[in-house]
Amino acid sequence: MGIYLIKNLAAAAIASACLLGASFGIQAQTQTSSGAQGKTEVLWLGQAGFRIKTPNGKVILIDPWITGGPKTPPMYKSDLSAIGPVDLLLVTHAHVDHIGDAPALAKMNSTKLYGPADMITPLITLGALPAELSHRFNKTGRVTPLPGVKVTAVQAEHSSLLVWKNPATEKLESHPAGEAMGYIIELENGFKIWHMGDTGLFGDMKFISEHYKPDLVMVPIGGNFTMAPDDAAFALRTWINPKMVIPMHYNSNPLASGTVAEFQEAMKGSKIKIVPMTEGQTVQF
């Protein structure tokens, strides 16, 4: 069974200003209390989709909108298996540009899909995902899906709706899918990533930052559905103050028109390191 979006994307994609054409590495190794060091590799697949390779070689895939993503690198768009083995699937909410190919990838890899409880349930009851390939949890819930890897669900200020094509009628149906979430992902070496999912501003961003202390934040900047560049910059400068930030959720939908150039301008004077990426680019931390 497929999950579909009523497409309103324009034929011409928006070009993103100020992105570097060549891949680069961010050498920011983290260190645990035991002194062990390791690198984390991050690949941007477009929109909010990332593949993270942990220091111990495990692969985490977040919000994999791949075959339907207008900016997905062609090698992955045409062949899901090119992503390689996946050890952990995380989805922040049910909108198609986030859930995307997650059920197909779960079945392809015999890997559990972790996500908001009320998103996972309709996937199971509609037959889109086997129950044994799912894990339901909610905000402040913490799981250890891989050895040494902890994932905590945190607040996101956003909506969630599952659009599903009924195979009996061939018609699209809309199903409630609970609330959107973000994730604090703590890797084996203690490096912490906050994938914010889709979100607007909310004051508890400050609490989340103070309590979980993320090293790297993946922040939406596109506007319209999420924070615009200036609001994202306000949150980062005022409440979060991480070491590094990767802007995401822009350049794939003309309704989300925020750009990296606008974000960089709004971040001027901040000591937070901005890591702008192009779709298909890999960086290391």
Side-chain angles (χ1 to χ4, degrees):
M1 297 184 181
I3 299 170
Y4 295 83
L5 175 69
I6 302 173
K7 295 184 179 177
N8 63 357
L9 298 178
I14 296 175
S16 176
C18 295
L19 289 179
L20 300 176
S23 294
F24 60 93
I26 305 297
Q27 299 302 322
Q29 290 185 340
T30 57
Q31 188 165 355
T32 64
S33 59
S34 64
Q37 288 188 334
K39 292 182 180 179
T40 299
E41 180 184 283
V42 175
L43 164 68
W44 189 32
L45 293 164
Q47 198 73 327
F50 292 90
R51 184 185 70 188
I52 300 169
K53 289 188 178 179
T54 78
N56 286 356
K58 297 298 184 182
V59 175
I60 302 169
L61 204 58
I62 309 174
D63 286 356
W65 187 36
I66 297 172
T67 57
K71 292 289 184 174
T72 304
M75 64 179 291
Y76 305 118
K77 190 178 178 73
S78 61
D79 180 12
L80 276 180
S81 66
I83 292 289
V86 177
D87 299 297
L88 171 62
L89 272 166
L90 293 170
V91 173
T92 59
H93 64 289
H95 291 156
V96 75
D97 58 329
H98 295 262
I99 196 168
D101 299 287
L105 285 160
K107 289 180 273 192
M108 181 184 297
N109 290 275
S110 297
T111 299
K112 284 188 178 181
L113 193 168
Y114 285 69
D118 290 348
M119 179 197 79
I120 296 293
T121 297
L123 288 174
I124 295 170
T125 57
L126 291 169
L129 183 70
E132 64 272 16
L133 293 181
S134 68
H135 184 96
R136 306 162 62 249
F137 67 140
N138 273 329
K139 296 167 190 175
T140 72
R142 181 178 300 143
V143 295
T144 306
L146 299 171
V149 175
K150 298 175 184 177
V151 180
T152 304
V154 295
Q155 182 180 347
E157 189 62 33
H158 194 62
S159 59
S160 184
L161 186 73
L162 180 68
V163 178
W164 175 76
K165 188 174 183 179
N166 187 327
T169 64
E170 293 297 312
K171 292 182 179 180
L172 295 174
E173 299 177 356
S174 297
H175 295 268
E179 296 184 351
M181 304 194 307
Y183 295 117
I184 301 290
I185 305 164
E186 183 175 350
L187 305 182
E188 302 97 340
N189 58 359
F191 189 68
K192 292 181 182 179
I193 300 170
W194 181 4
H195 187 293
M196 299 185 84
D198 276 6
T199 190
L201 287 169
F202 60 94
D204 276 350
M205 288 178 175
K206 185 175 188 293
F207 160 74
I208 292 169
S209 178
E210 289 176 348
H211 186 55
Y212 296 107
K213 298 177 175 58
D215 299 289
L216 170 67
V217 175
M218 296 168 170
V219 62
I221 66 165
N224 192 70
F225 303 107
T226 69
M227 293 183 290
D230 58 339
D231 279 343
F234 174 85
L236 289 159
R237 298 172 65 131
T238 308
W239 295 328
I240 304 173
N241 292 309
K243 298 181 182 74
M244 296 165 285
V245 59
I246 295 176
M248 66 171 185
H249 208 275
Y250 67 96
N251 202 37
S252 288
N253 186 333
L255 292 177
S257 59
T259 67
V260 167
E262 292 170 325
F263 179 64
Q264 289 173 322
E265 180 65 26
M267 288 290 288
K268 272 188 176 178
S270 170
K271 294 181 180 179
I272 300 168
K273 184 173 183 61
I274 301 171
V275 186
M277 297 183 70
T278 54
E279 293 88 345
Q281 183 180 359
T282 299
V283 295
Q284 287 186 337
F285 298 92

